[in-house]
């Protein structure tokens, strides 16, 4: 075993990026930009008003929320969307981290601009260098292994296939969290205040992307004092740093209006869980995708949130590590026992109280604690576990001499090829241009002339099973968001004050445009 691995296992680079590492990090960033340019059309990246096509799905919700937020006056809390009655932007997944600076420069933005498409480009461009930086935390300095990590990480299926939900594509923060973990458990590093300051900033920024990601990065930071404790080292400083990161999260939640939010009251935890076969279920795999036709699911909800196929390259490399480098891997796992414990905890959280194996529920542990209902899409919590597996496999292979480096390169190549169907699905989704189902040309002048728009029925007055009406409401909101006017409704995952169904009565007020969904059309 190399002396560096024995003395400073998997964590020995300085916080300042050394010149030898800066070059591969730059190349990794350029690679990410190239991938974004190849996958995303210009009209997707820089949308505007008056287009002959409409946004769809969750991305439509995010775009609507951002447009209304950018057009609203500044308020308090800072994320309140005044034109939507004070709905918090974060509860409509509007990516506050990007929306806030866009709102600050709104006078220079083209009409109808929103940053949802731009966010996808940011996610793809930043993930490869973030993964390479995390890998450098293991002590790796050679350009080839670092670039292999960048390619393999941006080819992780769980990252690519989140394209339907913009904010949750921000897997860059997971790699930054892993990189901070490795540096913070480095016992040869005498001063870590700067790193913990960076950890606090990472937590604040991640919360302003999406709370699910913030929980994941917070868990990775919690692994720092846990690892030091299990090594028998002084963990008090790390525990204080972790407390500061947690305090930063609570502070941002309080300042930006996150506290007190509630969902729709339905009990969903366990419905969108990680199936035990998900990591090895090759849906949309280039090499093995012909074996399966859809995600694996045991709960009756499609298995989408639990999709976590690891990729052919990573699975083969994992077998190679277990069979040929088992002792080195075990030493690494023991040295990072706190991270292992956190990953096990995240996996249990992802699996949920209803343990699915294939198409059957293997074990049902009953009603979950109410606190877990905040994490109803629990299958997502395996994302950092998959990233940690890739990082650990790469660390073992990179220390196995020339053969290991060749194996790492093969991992990256196989992973990249295996993800081709996933990239194709993402690119096709970004390029779709569905026509408006409403008479957009007729409605645009009426919306522009109105002082307020009222939709009947509102979202909360519509049955969750009435998909046609809800899709029609979201489509009309997307049209209104091109030239935002105060509206009476919006789709959001959570609310500080849950809306109630109040039937609209009486004649429209002066300047009010009232639109009623009747017989499959807006009247």
């Amino acid at each position: 075993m190399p002396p560096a691995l024995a003395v400073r296992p998997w964590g020995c680079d300085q916080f300042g990026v050394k010149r030898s590492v800066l070059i591969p990090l730059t190349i990794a960033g350029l690679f990410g930009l190239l991938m974004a340019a190849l996958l995303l059309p210009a009209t997707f990246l820089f949308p505007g008003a008056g287009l002959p096509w409409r946004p769809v799905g969750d991305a439509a919700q995010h775009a609507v929320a951002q447009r209304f937020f950018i057009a609203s006056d500044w308020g308090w809390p800072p994320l309140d969307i005044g034109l939507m009655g004070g709905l918090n932007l974060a509860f409509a997944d509007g990516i506050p981290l990007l929306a806030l600076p866009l709102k600050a420069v709104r006078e220079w933005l083209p009409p109808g601009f929103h940053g949802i498409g731009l966010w996808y480009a940011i996610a793809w461009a930043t993930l490869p260098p973030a993964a390479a930086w995390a890998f450098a935390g293991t002590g790796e300095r050679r350009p080839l292994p670092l670039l292999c990590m960048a390619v393999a990480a941006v080819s992780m299926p769980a990252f690519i296939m989140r394209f339907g939900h913009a904010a949750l594509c921000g897997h860059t923060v997971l790699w930054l969290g892993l990189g901070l973990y490795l540096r913070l458990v480095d016992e040869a590093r005498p001063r870590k205040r700067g790193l913990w300051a960076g950890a606090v900033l990472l937590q604040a920024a991640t919360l302003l992307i999406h709370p699910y990601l913030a929980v994941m990065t917070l868990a990775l930071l919690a692994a720092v004092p846990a690892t030091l404790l299990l090594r028998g080292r002084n963990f008090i400083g790390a525990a204080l740093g972790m407390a500061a990161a947690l305090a930063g999260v609570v502070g941002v939640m309080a300042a930006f209006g996150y506290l007190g939010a509630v969902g729709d009251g339905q009990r969903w935890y366990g419905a969108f869980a990680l199936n035990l076969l998900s990591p090895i279920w090759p849906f949309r795999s280039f090499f093995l995708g012909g074996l399966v036709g859809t995600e694996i699911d045991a709960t009756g909800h499609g298995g989408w949130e639990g999709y976590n196929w690891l990729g052919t390259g990573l699975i083969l490399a994992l077998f190679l590590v277990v069979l040929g480098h088992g002792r080195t891997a075990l030493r690494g796992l023991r040295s990072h026992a706190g991270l292992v414990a956190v990953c096990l905890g995240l996996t249990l959280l992802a699996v949920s109280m209803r343990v699915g194996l294939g198409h059957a529920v293997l074990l049902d542990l009953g009603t979950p604690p109410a606190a877990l209902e905040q994490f109803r899409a629990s299958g997502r919590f395996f994302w950092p576990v998959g990233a940690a597996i890739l990082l650990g496999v790469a660390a073992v292979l990179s220390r196995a001499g020339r053969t290991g480096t060749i194996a790492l390169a093969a991992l990256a190549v196989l992973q990249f090829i295996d993800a081709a169907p996933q990239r194709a699905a993402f690119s096709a989704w970004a390029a779709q241009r569905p026509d408006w189902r409403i008479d957009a040309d007729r409605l645009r002048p009426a919306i522009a002339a109105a002082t307020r728009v009222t939709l009947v029925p509102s979202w909360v007055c519509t049955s969750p099973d009435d998909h046609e009406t809800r899709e029609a409401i979201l489509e009309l909101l997307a049209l209104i968001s091109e030239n935002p006017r105060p509206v009476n409704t919006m789709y959001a995952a959570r609310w500080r004050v849950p809306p109630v169904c109040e039937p609209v009565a009486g004649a429209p007020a002066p300047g009010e445009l009232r639109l009623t969904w009747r017989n499959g059309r807006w009247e």
Side-chain angles (χ1 to χ4, degrees):
M1 180 172 61
L5 181 59
V7 177
R8 303 168 67 186
W10 299 11
C12 61
D13 70 322
Q14 302 301 312
F15 184 62
V17 179
K18 293 185 177 181
R19 186 173 302 176
S20 60
V21 176
L22 183 59
I23 294 175
L25 292 187
T26 302
I27 296 173
L30 293 174
F31 169 71
L33 281 172
L34 176 63
M35 294 301 300
L38 292 174
L39 295 172
L40 300 170
T43 52
F44 180 84
L45 295 171
F46 305 104
L51 296 175
W53 49 273
R54 59 187 170 87
V56 295
D58 286 342
Q61 177 207 18
H62 312 334
V64 167
Q66 260 205 19
R67 279 173 163 170
F68 271 89
F69 174 73
I70 291 170
S72 296
D73 293 334
W74 289 99
W76 191 263
L79 298 184
D80 275 10
I81 308 175
L83 293 175
M84 287 184 163
L87 169 67
N88 191 298
L89 176 68
F91 303 155
D93 296 328
I95 316 177
L97 186 67
L98 179 59
L100 285 166
L102 288 178
K103 184 169 183 172
V105 298
R106 61 185 173 185
E107 300 300 328
W108 293 276
L109 297 178
F113 181 83
H114 62 79
I116 300 303
L118 187 61
W119 178 255
Y120 285 96
I122 293 172
W124 276 81
T126 57
L127 190 146
W133 179 77
F135 193 25
T138 68
E140 183 59 67
R141 291 287 182 276
R142 294 168 296 166
L144 178 59
L146 293 175
L147 292 174
C148 288
M149 171 56 72
V151 172
V154 83
S155 303
M156 287 293 283
F159 161 65
I160 301 173
M161 293 302 293
R162 292 314 308 176
F163 58 75
H165 195 298
L168 291 174
C169 288
H171 286 209
T172 295
V173 297
L174 304 181
W175 289 101
L176 294 177
L178 285 168
L180 283 169
Y181 162 83
L182 288 169
R183 290 158 174 82
L184 287 166
V185 298
D186 180 2
E187 297 172 34
R189 187 188 304 275
R191 298 178 181 178
K192 298 188 175 72
R193 291 182 182 177
L195 286 169
W196 278 113
V200 173
L201 291 175
L202 174 67
Q203 280 305 126
T206 304
L207 182 63
L208 293 174
I209 298 172
H210 200 281
Y212 269 89
L213 294 174
V215 173
M216 297 177 202
T217 52
L218 195 63
L220 294 175
L221 292 177
V224 177
T227 288
L228 294 177
L229 172 64
L230 293 171
R231 287 180 184 175
R233 301 295 192 266
N234 185 349
F235 65 94
I236 301 301
L240 293 175
M242 177 62 196
L246 180 59
V249 169
V250 175
V252 172
M253 292 180 70
F256 286 83
Y258 285 73
L259 298 178
V262 296
D264 55 15
Q266 301 185 63
R267 303 188 70 85
W268 288 108
Y269 179 74
F272 307 103
L274 172 77
N275 192 286
L276 292 180
L277 293 185
S278 291
I280 59 171
W281 191 260
F283 178 57
R284 282 193 169 145
S285 160
F286 176 83
F287 295 108
L288 303 173
L291 300 177
V292 300
T294 186
E295 300 92 345
I296 189 66
D297 176 45
T299 64
H301 292 272
W304 173 248
E305 295 292 356
Y307 176 76
N308 276 285
W309 163 238
L310 292 176
T312 301
L314 178 54
I315 289 177
L316 290 176
L318 186 58
F319 273 114
L320 178 61
V321 165
V322 171
L323 297 176
H325 308 280
R327 291 184 178 180
T328 302
L330 285 175
R331 282 195 295 269
L333 292 175
R334 283 196 298 267
S335 180
H336 295 275
L339 180 61
V340 172
V342 163
C343 286
L344 288 175
L346 288 170
T347 301
L348 291 175
L349 183 61
V351 169
S352 84
M353 309 286 285
R354 299 183 68 194
V355 183
L357 177 65
H359 296 290
V361 175
L362 188 66
L363 180 65
D364 192 335
L365 298 176
T367 303
L372 291 180
E373 289 300 332
Q374 293 290 335
F375 310 123
R376 57 189 183 182
S378 63
R380 301 169 180 172
F381 286 103
F382 192 76
W383 298 344
V385 181
I389 291 172
L390 173 58
L391 187 60
V393 167
V396 172
L397 292 178
S398 69
R399 289 171 169 79
R402 182 180 179 184
T403 302
T405 301
I406 294 173
L408 179 56
L411 182 166
V413 171
L414 289 174
Q415 197 79 349
F416 185 80
I417 296 173
D418 195 52
Q422 301 146 32
R423 289 191 299 273
F426 172 43
S427 182
W429 173 83
Q432 62 180 330
R433 298 292 180 264
D435 295 330
W436 291 98
R437 294 173 299 185
I438 57 180
D439 191 345
D441 291 335
R442 177 181 65 87
L443 287 172
R444 281 183 175 120
I447 293 169
T451 58
R452 179 178 182 82
V453 182
T454 300
L455 277 58
V456 181
S458 65
W459 186 276
V460 71
C461 291
T462 306
S463 168
D465 297 326
D466 189 355
H467 300 296
E468 180 186 12
T469 301
R470 289 200 160 186
E471 288 176 5
I473 291 173
L474 189 56
E475 180 181 15
L476 185 53
L477 285 171
L479 186 67
I480 299 168
S481 72
E482 294 182 348
N483 193 0
R485 296 291 184 267
V487 292
N488 66 318
T489 190
M490 178 56 179
Y491 162 51
R494 289 172 176 79
W495 300 81
R496 283 200 302 272
V497 180
V500 296
C501 178
E502 296 180 352
V504 178
E512 176 187 0
L513 174 63
R514 186 174 298 176
L515 296 169
T516 302
W517 179 254
R518 185 182 292 119
N519 299 323
R521 62 190 300 267
W522 289 104
E523 300 176 353

